[in-house]
Amino acid sequence: MGSCSGERDRAERRPGLFLFLLPLFCPALGEQIRYRIPEEMPKGSVVGNLAKDLGFSVQELPTRKLRVSSEKPYFTVSAESGDLLVSSRLDREEICGKSPTCALEFEAVAENPLNFYHVNVEIEDINDHTPKFTQNSFELQISESAQPGTRFILEIAEDADIGLNSLQKYKLSLNPSFSLIIKEKQDGSKYPELALEKTLDREQQSYHRLVLTALDGGDPPLSGTTELRIQVTDANDHPPVFSQDLYRVSLPENVPPGTTVLQVSATDQDEGINSEITYSFYRSGQIFGLNSKSGEITTQKKLDFEEIKEYSMVVEARDGGGLVAQCTVEVNIQDENDNSPEVTFHSLLEMILENAVPGTLIALIKIHDQDSEENGEVNCRLEGEIPFKIISSSKNSYKLVTDGTLDREQTPEYNVTITAMDRGKPPLSSSISVILHISDVNDNAPVFHQASYLVSVAENNPPGASIAQVSASDPDLGMNGQVFYSIVASDLEPLALASYVSVSTQSGVVFAQRAFDYELLRTFELTLQARDHGSPALSANVSLRVLVSDRNDNAPRVLYPALGPDGSALFDMVPRAAEPGYLVTKVVAVDADSGHNAWLSYHVLQASEPGLFSLGLRTGEVRTARALGDRDAARQRLLVAVRDSGQPPLSATATLHLVFADSLQEVLPDITDRPEPSDPQAELQFYLVVALALISVLFLLAVILAIALRLRRSFSPASWSCFQPGLCVKSGPVVPPNYSEGTLPYSYNLCVAHRGKTEFNFLKCSEQLSSGQDMLCGDSSGALFPLCNSSESTSHPELA
């Protein structure tokens, strides 16, 4: 707000008229800036430098955007100089009527920051209206019998100006028979009366013409005239006489049409037709009606205090002889509370930031009530519990400001209802509603729907398959609420992480980049982040633990019996006198799977002598079921299947060669005399040779070749090689891997010998074995020996 050292005067000369501009005082912040200007200033006239009075510099004007907020555009603000300019015609009489003071109040609005300043411009009256009579001439009848001193009320003139510029006096043209008397009402207005100075003589002069002039107090004064045409009538001794020269009555504005206002009464001492009185308005009225016989005055239309506050009427009483008497009736209209307050918004913010501090200005509210006094005094309030409040700014002006914290996520908009109630009895009120929209700021971080995630993925999953989905929500709008996902940490190696999993930035779906192997990786943990796109961005983390579940993808592996180093099968020796239940050997197998998939069971598929041996379903122990009979062969063969409990189950087979003997010497001849099984490859070659020989012309050569092949087979040194010295190759013990899972509860150390080309090798275990290692050779109770051309242990799917 600008400051000034004294009163400021501004004068502008117009033809015959001085215009004055005078701010009444130097307003501080929140007070009104007052100017005073004459009416009818030309458009574009400077009222005052509003920017300077508000303390704005010329450089600030483009950014502050100083403007006028008013219902009617009487003034504008120059964008270049900040002057307050007249923008439309200022007619004081049109704006304020007969009100003694006329002021236009409005708000000056400045932006960046938004603020309001109250401006009061007082409009001074100039003498721009002349007194006017309603008619150019008036007829007046006066009886020649009228006595000197008789008075007659004359037509009054109207002047729209006020004060000295309004009607001040009347003048009458010179006439020896009449004079002019000026009377004043209680409200200060003046009206003329014509006084008879001497007796009239109709026979000498039956008609008189006088000029009545009305003058105002302007400089120079303006005037208006009307002609009085006085007709002298014959004598009527007694004119009517009203009971009162002035009737006053007060009437509420809300009375219905037809309501009786009052009744005037006049009497006439004459008799006959000269005493018959007829009442009429001196000037015809449209608001009130008059009964010509009774003198009763009634309303014809609805009265409105806000339009006209007082009525003044002249009632004439005319007798049958033509004599007339007049009285004045003044009707004062009393205000009733018949106008509700009007509420209007000015400079309303379209969007309100949800982080707006309490006290932020939202809008300017104006209240207007056409009623007067208490009926026009208004109280303003907000309906409901909302984070806003109303602060009185000036008379009938209020500010709507924030009164608490805003949260768009809880309440994105407010339906604000402002109720204005006057102090009338009964009070009247009106309401206006406005929707205030709250704009979003990035004040909410994403929130995951779970505190942590735990998923189970079966191994051997297809690469690229979805294994989990994390989901986070952000209640903010637009980019502030758009969530993107990423992996920010893991217990996997950073270089290996990308080859294991990835996450969709849009959906939060976690994909497996490779097939998981339960036997290599059983569990891992990821830290996922959800980040919005606000400025600054907000984020949240959540842990995802992935459990790799086992599938039955590993068949059982037979550890014992094992093949020799050269691929030969081993055999177990059983004493001939073994009792039923004698532990012959044990089939040892492991499964790399876990749980149910590694639960092994043992089954006999084939047996040389069914019923001779029993096999433990879960232990794999081979025991004698009965004693060896005379008819039982010394050599027995068992084909054992090892199955897991997976779905579908997988299995492996093992072949057991069992020899009943009391010593190793008993076993060796049997093994030596045993004919070597035929070689299927040799037989195939033989049949091919025979087939070729049948179709060959060299039949004889083919026969010789066949004989040679048979002879070569008959004299093969393989059957004697076992007994030749130096052909037994000694090897160190072969220790299979340790298995700590499956059905094997401890480690087995198996000693096997490599098989050469002899059918049977003597195994000499002369080397020292490590402590705690079992030696399964050279023992008479079921030691391991290589058995030539024996089938190997195989792993295969479940047999039918």
Side-chain angles (χ1 to χ4, degrees):
M1 189 72 66
S3 63
C4 57
S5 60
E7 293 188 344
R8 292 162 296 187
D9 296 330
R10 183 183 300 270
E12 180 180 350
R13 183 173 298 276
R14 298 175 63 188
L17 181 64
F18 287 96
L19 305 180
F20 297 93
L21 173 62
L22 180 62
L24 295 181
F25 55 90
C26 301
L29 183 62
E31 298 179 354
Q32 285 187 339
I33 298 177
R34 297 181 181 273
Y35 296 101
R36 181 182 295 167
I37 61 173
E39 64 174 327
E40 302 294 348
M41 290 183 71
K43 185 176 180 180
S45 299
V46 177
V47 176
N49 195 315
L50 182 60
K52 181 179 179 181
D53 295 336
L54 293 177
F56 298 161
S57 64
V58 177
Q59 292 78 9
E60 289 184 275
L61 292 179
T63 59
R64 295 306 301 273
K65 297 180 181 179
L66 187 62
R67 66 182 189 276
V68 170
S69 173
S70 178
E71 297 177 359
K72 295 183 179 180
Y74 289 117
F75 303 97
T76 58
V77 178
S78 172
E80 293 77 15
S81 63
D83 289 334
L84 183 64
L85 305 177
V86 176
S87 61
S88 63
R89 180 171 177 258
L90 297 175
D91 188 349
R92 185 193 180 283
E93 289 71 35
E94 180 182 343
I95 296 173
C96 300
K98 284 287 188 179
S99 176
T101 59
C102 183
L104 294 176
E105 292 185 356
F106 56 90
E107 276 70 34
V109 182
E111 298 182 1
N112 302 316
L114 180 65
N115 208 341
F116 301 95
Y117 306 91
H118 305 288
V119 182
N120 182 298
V121 180
E122 183 177 347
I123 309 300
E124 292 183 336
D125 182 54
I126 64 174
N127 193 20
D128 57 342
H129 292 84
T130 61
K132 290 183 180 180
F133 291 94
T134 57
Q135 298 179 13
N136 293 329
S137 62
F138 294 93
E139 297 287 341
L140 185 61
Q141 293 181 350
I142 301 177
S143 175
E144 62 178 338
S145 61
Q147 298 298 315
T150 304
R151 297 181 181 183
F152 304 91
I153 298 176
L154 300 179
E155 174 69 17
I156 62 174
E158 298 288 344
D159 192 332
D161 295 321
I162 64 169
L164 291 176
N165 295 327
S166 65
L167 186 93
Q168 297 296 321
K169 58 184 177 179
Y170 293 90
K171 289 183 179 180
L172 186 66
S173 59
L174 295 177
N175 189 292
S177 300
F178 302 95
S179 63
L180 187 65
I181 299 175
I182 299 176
K183 288 192 173 184
E184 186 173 347
K185 297 182 181 180
Q186 290 184 351
D187 60 359
S189 61
K190 298 176 176 61
Y191 63 94
E193 289 186 354
L194 184 66
L196 184 62
E197 294 295 330
K198 64 180 182 177
T199 304
L200 300 178
D201 188 350
R202 188 188 68 83
E203 286 71 25
Q204 289 183 2
Q205 188 178 353
S206 63
Y207 207 83
H208 296 268
R209 292 179 181 273
L210 302 175
V211 176
L212 179 63
T213 303
L215 297 95
D216 60 22
D219 185 15
L222 302 179
S223 62
T225 61
T226 185
E227 184 182 30
L228 295 179
R229 299 175 181 178
I230 302 173
Q231 183 181 2
V232 182
T233 62
D234 282 336
N236 185 9
D237 295 334
H238 297 90
V241 177
F242 280 97
S243 58
Q244 296 177 220
D245 289 336
L246 178 63
Y247 292 86
R248 284 195 178 95
V249 65
S250 294
L251 195 64
E253 64 173 326
N254 58 356
V255 296
T259 301
T260 299
V261 179
L262 58 82
Q263 186 174 12
V264 296
S265 176
T267 59
D268 195 321
Q269 295 181 6
D270 293 327
E271 294 182 353
I273 193 172
N274 290 330
S275 63
E276 294 180 0
I277 299 175
T278 303
Y279 300 95
S280 64
F281 286 120
Y282 181 68
R283 277 185 278 175
S284 59
Q286 298 179 349
I287 302 299
F288 299 95
L290 176 62
N291 189 315
S292 61
K293 298 298 184 183
S294 63
E296 182 182 25
I297 301 175
T298 58
T299 58
Q300 291 183 332
K301 294 183 178 180
K302 185 177 179 181
L303 305 178
D304 191 349
F305 172 83
E306 287 69 38
E307 292 183 1
I308 301 177
K309 299 177 175 56
E310 186 178 31
Y311 294 90
S312 180
M313 301 168 287
V314 177
V315 179
E316 290 185 341
R318 187 182 298 272
D319 61 17
L323 295 180
V324 177
Q326 293 181 331
C327 71
T328 302
V329 178
E330 293 182 354
V331 180
N332 182 30
I333 306 302
Q334 295 178 341
D335 182 43
E336 294 290 330
N337 192 22
D338 58 344
N339 290 281
S340 299
E342 296 177 1
V343 185
T344 57
F345 278 96
H346 292 264
S347 302
L348 177 66
L349 289 180
E350 294 182 359
M351 297 295 291
I352 305 170
L353 290 176
E354 63 176 320
N355 61 351
V357 298
T360 300
L361 182 61
I362 305 301
L364 176 67
I365 304 166
K366 285 191 175 181
I367 313 295
H368 178 64
D369 195 322
Q370 297 181 6
D371 295 324
S372 62
E373 297 179 353
E374 288 189 351
N375 295 331
E377 295 178 4
V378 179
N379 293 323
C380 191
R381 71 175 187 275
L382 291 174
E383 299 293 338
E385 295 185 1
I386 54 177
F388 301 96
K389 67 179 179 179
I390 290 181
I391 300 175
S392 178
S393 176
S394 64
K395 181 181 179 182
N396 298 329
S397 293
Y398 297 86
K399 290 181 180 179
L400 177 64
V401 298
T402 57
D403 187 34
T405 57
L406 305 176
D407 190 349
R408 188 208 62 81
E409 288 70 39
Q410 293 184 359
T411 310
E413 63 182 23
Y414 290 91
N415 187 354
V416 177
T417 300
I418 299 174
T419 300
M421 181 177 293
D422 60 28
R423 298 176 62 184
K425 296 181 180 179
L428 297 180
S429 63
S430 62
S431 300
I432 186 172
S433 297
V434 64
I435 302 297
L436 297 181
H437 299 277
I438 310 301
S439 61
D440 182 58
V441 296
N442 192 25
D443 58 345
N444 289 277
V447 177
F448 282 96
H449 297 166
Q450 295 180 211
S452 61
Y453 292 83
L454 178 66
V455 296
S456 178
V457 182
E459 65 174 332
N460 302 325
N461 56 287
S466 170
I467 61 174
Q469 182 175 16
V470 296
S471 179
S473 60
D474 193 324
D476 292 324
L477 285 181
M479 298 302 290
N480 294 334
Q482 191 172 0
V483 179
F484 295 88
Y485 302 91
S486 62
I487 300 175
V488 295
S490 173
D491 56 1
L492 297 173
E493 291 293 332
L495 296 179
L497 175 61
S499 66
Y500 274 90
V501 291
S502 65
V503 62
S504 171
T505 59
Q506 303 290 337
S507 63
V509 176
V510 180
F511 297 96
Q513 298 297 103
R514 63 190 296 179
F516 299 147
D517 189 348
Y518 173 81
E519 288 71 37
L520 297 179
L521 180 65
R522 298 191 176 187
T523 180
F524 60 92
E525 188 168 343
L526 305 174
T527 300
L528 296 135
Q529 184 179 86
R531 178 181 293 269
D532 59 29
H533 272 201
S535 179
L538 301 178
S539 62
N541 294 344
V542 72
S543 65
L544 169 64
R545 186 171 182 82
V546 180
L547 303 179
V548 181
S549 60
D550 183 52
R551 283 186 174 178
N552 192 25
D553 57 343
N554 290 280
R557 180 181 176 185
V558 178
L559 299 181
Y560 183 82
L563 297 178
D566 57 354
S568 60
L570 305 180
F571 71 91
D572 290 280
M573 190 171 65
V574 184
R576 293 182 179 272
E579 297 294 329
Y582 175 79
L583 177 61
V584 177
T585 187
K586 181 176 182 178
V587 179
V588 180
V590 294
D591 196 317
D593 295 322
S594 64
H596 212 64
N597 295 328
W599 192 12
L600 303 181
S601 61
Y602 301 86
H603 309 273
V604 176
L605 295 181
Q606 294 179 1
S608 301
E609 192 70 36
L612 182 58
F613 298 96
S614 65
L615 180 64
L617 179 65
R618 297 300 177 188
T619 63
E621 295 179 347
V622 179
R623 297 179 181 272
T624 56
R626 59 180 176 82
L628 180 68
D630 295 337
R631 297 182 179 181
D632 295 328
R635 288 170 43 84
Q636 297 291 328
R637 178 177 176 273
L638 289 179
L639 180 61
V640 177
V642 183
R643 297 192 187 96
D644 59 27
S645 299
Q647 291 296 329
L650 301 179
S651 64
T653 58
T655 303
L656 298 178
H657 295 275
L658 306 177
V659 178
F660 284 90
D662 292 328
S663 64
L664 183 61
Q665 288 74 13
E666 296 181 17
V667 178
L668 293 178
D670 182 67
I671 296 175
T672 306
D673 297 340
R674 182 177 56 85
E676 184 180 357
S678 61
D679 187 0
Q681 183 69 25
E683 292 180 358
L684 178 60
Q685 292 179 359
F686 171 76
Y687 290 126
L688 290 175
V689 172
V690 172
L692 291 173
L694 293 175
I695 61 175
S696 177
V697 294
L698 301 177
F699 176 76
L700 183 59
L701 183 60
V703 172
I704 296 173
L705 180 59
I707 295 173
L709 290 174
R710 294 181 65 87
L711 290 176
R712 179 181 177 182
R713 182 179 177 188
S714 301
F715 293 93
S716 175
S719 58
W720 301 99
S721 59
C722 289
F723 298 97
Q724 295 179 5
L727 294 179
C728 184
V729 180
K730 184 175 65 175
S731 64
V734 178
V735 181
N738 292 335
Y739 289 85
S740 60
E741 296 185 8
T743 57
L744 195 61
Y746 50 86
S747 300
Y748 282 86
N749 292 328
L750 303 180
C751 178
V752 295
H754 292 288
R755 181 172 63 89
K757 291 186 179 181
T758 57
E759 185 176 356
F760 186 83
N761 293 334
F762 290 102
L763 182 61
K764 297 179 180 181
C765 297
S766 60
E767 298 182 359
Q768 294 295 329
L769 298 178
S770 61
S771 64
Q773 186 178 13
D774 295 334
M775 180 163 54
L776 301 179
C777 62
D779 192 354
S780 61
S781 61
L784 294 178
F785 294 93
L787 186 61
C788 297
N789 297 328
S790 176
S791 61
E792 299 179 354
S793 297
T794 59
S795 298
H796 53 79
E798 178 61 32
L799 299 175

